[in-house]
DNA sequence: AATAATGCCAACCGCGCGAAT
DNA sequence: GATTCGCGCGGTTGGCATTAT
């Protein structure tokens, strides 16, 4: 037969917040054993605690461990978390290994309560790290309320782009081009998403250049972007696949060579190392995309000089915050 | 001042994987 | 080989603190 049962299902073990005496007992027990826990299962009894071993482990790893760094997250840590999340997703424990003194629980909480909201308010999807379509941007002045969740279909994205472009005949041809493009590439979900993004980006580009006589190059740029990279990603994500693969390889080899933020003094160097790792990858080759895409891109562009001004939601005031302004400009400058 | 709404985070829950039996 | 558990993980919750009305 297998092992003996765990204490966690015992109704008599205490749950809920830890008291000072319990903390003291746990810390002293671990210190008596030279900082080595051994078996968490047997620890509560040995330490004189009426707790489940699992509860002891959580209390120690998330709160009592002596190397835990308390206090607010620095800008460097925040940037690193964003970048790591882009590469690794919700793998909080892996992310935590890159930030010395921070626990997975702490990072997870910080992400959910701070960073996620900031990204949303900036118009960035915190899950995909891609720019949200205009329809899903959060409106400033809404007392901080989030927009209702919504899913924008490719067709809706195109309609949105069309509406944003106004009713001029010349723009309809652009939208028709988008439609053709979409029809050609809807066999791949990821590229559909890219088409959605491009449609929204087109709308944003239109807004940005509403007083310019040279919108056509911008549109061409959007087309090229889709054809050659399929996604418009923030700079910090452009080489994420390589970064993620490297991280996986690291885990497989159980080699902990990843940069760790040890102090503000050498944090810049650590970030530089990450930059180097991220910049090692290359964009997907254009030939991996259907020929129809290339054909669409090669069509002559119409002059869109007389476009109607575009009504788009305003981004929130975070754009004027130095830290977030830096991220916005570096990732989404057109 | 009272109440409601929201923010925050420590702790819990349940699951998957690998190890022990 | 089958069974059972320890451990670690990500998701969720409960309750206190703070802010808004």
């Amino acid at each position: 037969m297998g092992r003996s049962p765990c204490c966690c299902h015992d109704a008599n073990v205490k749950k809920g917040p830890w008291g000072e005496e319990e903390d003291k007992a746990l810390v002293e027990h671990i210190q008596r054993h030279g900082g080595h826990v051994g078996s968490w299962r047997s620890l509560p009894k040995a330490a004189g605690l009426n707790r489940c071993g699992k509860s002891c482990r959580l209390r120690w790893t998330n709160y009592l461990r002596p190397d835990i760094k308390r206090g607010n997250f620095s800008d460097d840590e925040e940037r690193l978390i964003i970048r790591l999340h882009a590469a690794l997703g919700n793998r909080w424990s892996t992310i935590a290994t890159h930030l010395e003194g921070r626990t997975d629980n702490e990072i997870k909480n910080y992400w959910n309560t701070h960073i996620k909201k900031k990204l949303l308010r900036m118009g960035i999807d915190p899950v995909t790290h891609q720019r949200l379509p205009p329809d899903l941007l959060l409106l400033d002045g809404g007392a901080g309320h989030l927009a209702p969740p919504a899913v924008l279909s490719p067709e809706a994205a195109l309609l949105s782009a069309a509406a944003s472009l106004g009713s001029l005949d010349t723009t309809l041809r652009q939208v028709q081009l988008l439609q053709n493009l979409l029809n050609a590439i809807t066999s791949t979900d990821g590229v559909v998403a890219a088409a959605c993004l491009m449609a929204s980006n087109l709308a944003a580009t239109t807004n940005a250049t509403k007083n310019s006589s040279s919108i056509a190059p911008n549109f061409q740029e959007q087309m090229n972007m889709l054809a050659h990279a399929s996604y418009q990603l923030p700079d910090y994500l452009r080489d994420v696949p390589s970064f993620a693969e490297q991280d996986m390889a690291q885990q497989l080899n159980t080699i902990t060579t990843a940069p760790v933020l040890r102090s503000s003094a050498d944090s810049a160097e650590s970030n530089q190392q990450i930059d180097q790792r991220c910049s090692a990858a290359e964009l997907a080759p254009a030939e991996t995309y259907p020929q129809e895409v290339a054909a669409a891109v090669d069509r002559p562009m119409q002059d869109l000089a007389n476009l109607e001004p575009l009504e788009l939601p305003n981004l929130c005031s975070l754009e004027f915050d130095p830290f977030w302004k830096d991220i916005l400009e570096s990732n989404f400058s057109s």
Side-chain angles (χ1 to χ4, degrees):
Chain A
M1 289 299 287
R3 302 171 178 176
S4 55
C6 171
C7 62
C8 295
H9 302 292
D10 186 344
N12 295 322
V13 298
K14 188 182 174 187
K15 291 185 177 181
W18 280 63
E20 281 185 30
E21 288 302 314
E22 289 177 307
D23 283 346
K24 190 179 172 187
L26 179 56
V27 170
E28 285 180 352
H29 174 82
I30 293 176
Q31 284 175 344
R32 271 200 304 274
H33 291 77
H36 298 292
V37 174
S39 168
W40 283 112
R41 185 176 163 233
S42 59
L43 183 144
K45 190 176 178 182
L49 287 162
N50 185 27
R51 288 276 184 174
C52 172
K54 196 172 179 175
S55 179
C56 294
R57 180 175 57 82
L58 276 171
R59 184 63 179 170
W60 174 257
T61 56
N62 288 336
Y63 197 82
L64 297 174
R65 229 174 54 200
D67 58 334
I68 285 181
K69 186 199 290 184
R70 313 305 283 180
N72 296 334
F73 282 78
S74 68
D75 282 358
D76 281 339
E77 287 177 309
E78 195 162 317
R79 283 194 183 88
L80 185 56
I81 291 170
I82 293 171
R83 174 170 284 177
L84 289 168
H85 185 273
L88 304 169
N90 292 358
R91 289 159 63 190
W92 304 115
S93 60
T94 307
I95 292 173
T97 64
H98 295 261
L99 287 94
E100 194 178 57
R102 301 294 189 183
T103 69
D104 56 351
N105 206 37
E106 191 178 14
I107 294 169
K108 179 174 61 182
N109 282 332
Y110 189 69
W111 176 270
N112 286 326
T113 56
H114 292 91
I115 300 176
K116 196 158 91 176
K117 292 173 186 174
K118 284 183 182 177
L119 290 175
L120 281 169
R121 291 176 64 192
M122 288 164 55
I124 302 170
D125 187 333
V127 178
T128 63
H129 290 257
Q130 295 167 359
R131 190 167 193 162
L132 289 165
D135 286 12
L136 300 183
L137 290 178
L138 303 178
L139 295 172
D140 199 17
H145 290 107
L146 302 182
V151 176
L152 202 63
S153 66
E155 293 76 13
L158 288 168
L159 286 172
S160 171
S164 301
L165 287 167
S167 58
L168 297 176
D169 289 345
T170 50
T171 66
L172 292 178
R173 294 197 58 176
Q174 305 295 333
V175 175
Q176 181 63 47
L177 178 55
L178 275 173
Q179 184 69 67
N180 292 342
L181 190 59
L182 186 67
N183 289 339
I185 62 181
T186 48
S187 58
T188 306
D189 288 345
V191 183
V192 170
C196 293
L197 275 170
M198 192 183 69
S200 64
N201 288 335
L202 176 60
T205 302
T206 306
N207 184 46
T209 58
K210 61 187 178 186
N211 294 320
S212 167
S213 61
S214 60
I215 191 171
N218 289 312
F219 187 78
Q220 179 72 60
E221 191 179 327
Q222 295 287 334
M223 288 299 188
N224 289 337
M225 194 178 296
L226 176 65
H228 293 108
S230 100
Y231 293 94
Q232 188 202 18
L233 295 172
D235 283 349
Y236 66 87
L237 297 190
R238 202 153 282 163
D239 304 308
V240 155
S242 168
F243 186 40
E245 284 169 13
Q246 288 184 32
D247 189 86
M248 286 297 291
Q250 278 189 334
Q251 290 190 53
L252 288 173
N253 294 326
T254 61
I255 298 172
T256 54
T257 55
V260 172
L261 282 176
R262 291 186 173 81
S263 68
S264 57
D266 63 6
S267 62
E269 183 184 356
S270 297
N271 283 329
Q272 199 173 33
Q273 289 173 20
I274 292 175
D275 287 335
Q276 288 170 358
R277 293 170 62 195
C278 288
S279 64
E282 294 179 358
L283 294 174
E287 55 268 28
T288 61
Y289 296 93
Q291 287 187 343
E292 290 87 337
V293 177
V297 170
D298 287 336
R299 292 184 192 177
M301 294 295 111
Q302 293 291 324
D303 181 10
L304 303 179
N306 300 315
L307 285 174
E308 294 289 333
L310 182 66
E311 295 291 336
L312 283 177
N314 293 323
L315 287 177
C316 66
S317 58
L318 281 171
E319 280 187 300
F320 302 103
D321 177 272
F323 171 61
W324 291 99
K325 184 172 181 289
D326 174 55
I327 288 184
L328 278 173
E329 288 180 351
S330 63
N331 296 328
F332 296 116
S333 58
S334 55

